[in-house]
Amino acid sequence: MDASRCDVLILGGGVIGLSCALYLLRGGASVRVLEQGTPGCGSSHGNCGTITPSHAAPLAMPGMLGVALRSMLRSDAPLYLNPRFDSPRLRWLLGFARHCNWQDFNRAAQARAAILQRSRGLLANLIRAERLDCEFVEEGVLYVYRNAQQRDADEQHHAQLLDRLGISVQRMRGDEVEAMEPVLKPGVQGGFFHPDDARLRPDRYVAELARLVREHGGVIETGAKIEGFRTEGRHIAGVSTSRGDFMGERVVMALGAWSPLLGKQLGLRLPMQPGKGYSLTFTRPAHAPQHALVLREAAVCVTTWESGFRLGSTMEFSGYAEGLNRKRLDALRRGAATSLREPEGPQLQEEWWGWRPMSMDEVPIIGPSTQWSNLHLATAHGMLGVSMSAATGELVAAQLNGTTPAFDPTAYAPARFGL
């Protein structure tokens, strides 16, 4: 048998690709993962590690386009749109603008909620059953407001939306929030607590996933940069990489923000843009929050683990521009300092940036390609890759195995974009 051939060839070794690999292996398939770096070296590494059914609401809503356009004037704004002309980004922005209405907002929220809630349960079960060492804690996520107007605005399109979706949210007064988290500075105007959310250390979780994949017989080819495809009609017959050529009866594209770049070689125009995020990782401060926090006005996520402390978030649309933006890192620090008595740990361990794969409708793209007979897509998870990963893996395995998925896959189908 050709050693380079397998049942399923997965392109991308981040949290989505590895989750697909694990569920496929459990179903009896032979699997090989092609990763250009090391497992989880992209957005799976430096995100805040929150598992958040509470993040069902998409960014796209009436008025958001104006916020994005005004952000061009402030390079340190939580949501920043680089004014440099870029035709793919402009096309994406026009598509995003078309979805900034309440009908599409509610449709996207329902799709996101379904996969987030399914994945939340699967993740917890997987971590407990396999005893994964990833600092998993089920203590909820707390949104903190220092501005009553912001809190009241979020009541409608955040809290009431979660009520309708059946996702638990608790309204809290400012004094209740301060009592719950004494590390906060005075002046809190209110909060929303999401008791069903959780957190983990994402780099450790991905490392454990990679271990499981290998233990189940999967092969992970590291340093295998994809260079091209060999096609026969509508069939992908092989994938060329810097490590050689590989073949699979089925091919799963789980390349995150790189998906549009590789998709072009197959004639696919994926409606995605990289949304650049940043984080700062410190050693744990003496007085650290007990819960993961979202400091709402500053749009800063704060996550505490036994092994460290991370400030993260921000969304920058600057195309595929690489590297750290000092203004945005400084904004994270300022945002944390407005709310936390001890906003940083004793030692800065890492400054990080990564690209999140943002679809124009903010719903992931999961399912069979309409253009290629053996291609499956599993990409465009935005800021929620870790949160959606387990359910994505389960869904891809069900679709490739021909079994009934645990939830309706229609909303995520590539066919909605003609892919």
Side-chain angles (χ1 to χ4, degrees), residues 287-300:
H287 301 96
Q290 178 181 344
H291 305 86
L293 305 176
V294 174
L295 308 178
R296 187 62 181 86
E297 290 81 13
V300 174

Side-chain angles (χ1 to χ4, degrees), residues 271 359 361-366 370 380 409-419:
S359 65
D361 66 355
E362 292 188 82
V363 175
I365 301 172
I366 309 168
T370 62
T410 305
Y412 320 100
R416 74 187 191 272
F417 296 121
L419 300 171

Side-chain angles (χ1 to χ4, degrees), residues 121-172:
L122 290 173
L123 276 166
N125 292 338
L126 175 65
I127 290 168
R128 283 193 286 264
E130 299 288 350
R131 299 183 179 179
L132 302 188
D133 181 13
C134 60
E135 300 189 57
F136 180 62
V137 177
E138 299 177 282
E139 291 183 350
V141 172
L142 177 62
Y143 279 35
V144 179
Y145 295 83
R146 308 191 78 81
N147 181 304
Q149 284 185 314
Q150 180 70 64
R151 190 262 178 215
D152 292 344
D154 281 4
E155 167 65 29
Q156 179 178 4
H157 63 254
H158 176 73
Q160 292 182 24
L161 171 70
L162 296 183
D163 289 339
R164 294 195 298 273
L165 294 171
I167 298 172
S168 180
V169 54
Q170 299 173 9
R171 283 81 166 168
M172 301 181 69

Side-chain angles (χ1 to χ4, degrees), residues 46-301:
N47 65 77
C48 285
T50 51
I51 312 302
T52 48
S54 66
H55 283 34
L59 287 173
M61 66 179 70
M64 187 54 67
L65 181 61
V67 172
L69 294 175
R70 288 192 296 274
S71 78
M72 292 183 180
L73 305 175
R74 279 189 54 207
S75 60
D76 64 347
L79 172 64
Y80 173 58
L81 181 65
N82 191 308
R84 177 178 56 83
F85 178 76
D86 179 320
S87 57
R89 183 151 41 93
L90 179 59
R91 285 196 300 271
W92 180 90
L93 184 63
L94 292 173
F96 177 84
R98 288 195 297 271
H99 291 283
C100 287
N101 61 77
W102 290 123
Q103 182 178 0
D104 285 343
F105 173 87
N106 287 315
R107 184 183 298 116
Q110 290 172 1
R112 287 157 61 99
I115 192 168
L116 283 166
Q117 289 177 291
R118 177 65 182 173
S119 201
R120 170 66 177 87
L122 290 173
L123 276 166
N125 292 338
L126 175 65
I127 290 168
R128 283 193 286 264
E130 299 288 350
R131 299 183 179 179
L132 302 188
D133 181 13
C134 60
E135 300 189 57
F136 180 62
V137 177
E138 299 177 282
E139 291 183 350
V141 172
L142 177 62
Y143 279 35
V144 179
Y145 295 83
R146 308 191 78 81
N147 181 304
Q149 284 185 314
Q150 180 70 64
R151 190 262 178 215
D152 292 344
D154 281 4
E155 167 65 29
Q156 179 178 4
H157 63 254
H158 176 73
Q160 292 182 24
L161 171 70
L162 296 183
D163 289 339
R164 294 195 298 273
L165 294 171
I167 298 172
S168 180
V169 54
Q170 299 173 9
R171 283 81 166 168
M172 301 181 69
R173 301 188 310 269
D175 61 325
E176 293 174 324
V177 173
E178 291 178 7
M180 188 177 192
E181 282 290 359
V183 299
L184 292 167
K185 290 180 177 179
V188 176
Q189 298 300 306
F192 296 122
F193 180 57
H194 308 95
D196 296 331
D197 288 359
R199 67 181 186 269
L200 50 73
R201 181 128 192 178
D203 51 341
R204 295 190 176 183
Y205 177 65
V206 174
E208 290 285 76
L209 272 184
R211 176 180 63 80
L212 284 182
V213 167
R214 291 183 173 113
E215 288 178 357
H216 281 74
V219 177
I220 302 175
E221 303 283 354
T222 59
K225 184 177 181 180
I226 297 168
E227 297 175 341
F229 299 91
R230 181 167 59 86
T231 60
E232 298 174 356
R234 295 180 59 247
H235 184 83
I236 299 173
V239 179
S240 300
T241 79
S242 55
R243 292 277 306 278
D245 296 341
F246 299 94
M247 293 166 281
E249 295 301 317
R250 304 288 188 90
V251 177
V252 175
M253 183 180 288
L255 290 164
W258 286 268
S259 299
L261 303 181
L262 270 296
K264 282 183 180 179
Q265 297 190 33
L266 294 170
L268 300 175
R269 181 179 286 185
L270 278 80
M272 295 167 56
Q273 273 289 294
K276 199 174 186 182
Y278 297 84
S279 69
L280 295 161
T281 305
F282 300 87
T283 53
R284 184 178 171 126
H287 301 96
Q290 178 181 344
H291 305 86
L293 305 176
V294 174
L295 308 178
R296 187 62 181 86
E297 290 81 13
V300 174
C301 181

Side-chain angles (χ1 to χ4, degrees), residues 27-48:
S30 61
V31 176
R32 175 176 272 103
V33 179
L34 304 182
E35 167 54 47
Q36 66 176 344
T38 56
C41 63
S43 289
S44 300
H45 173 79
N47 65 77
C48 285

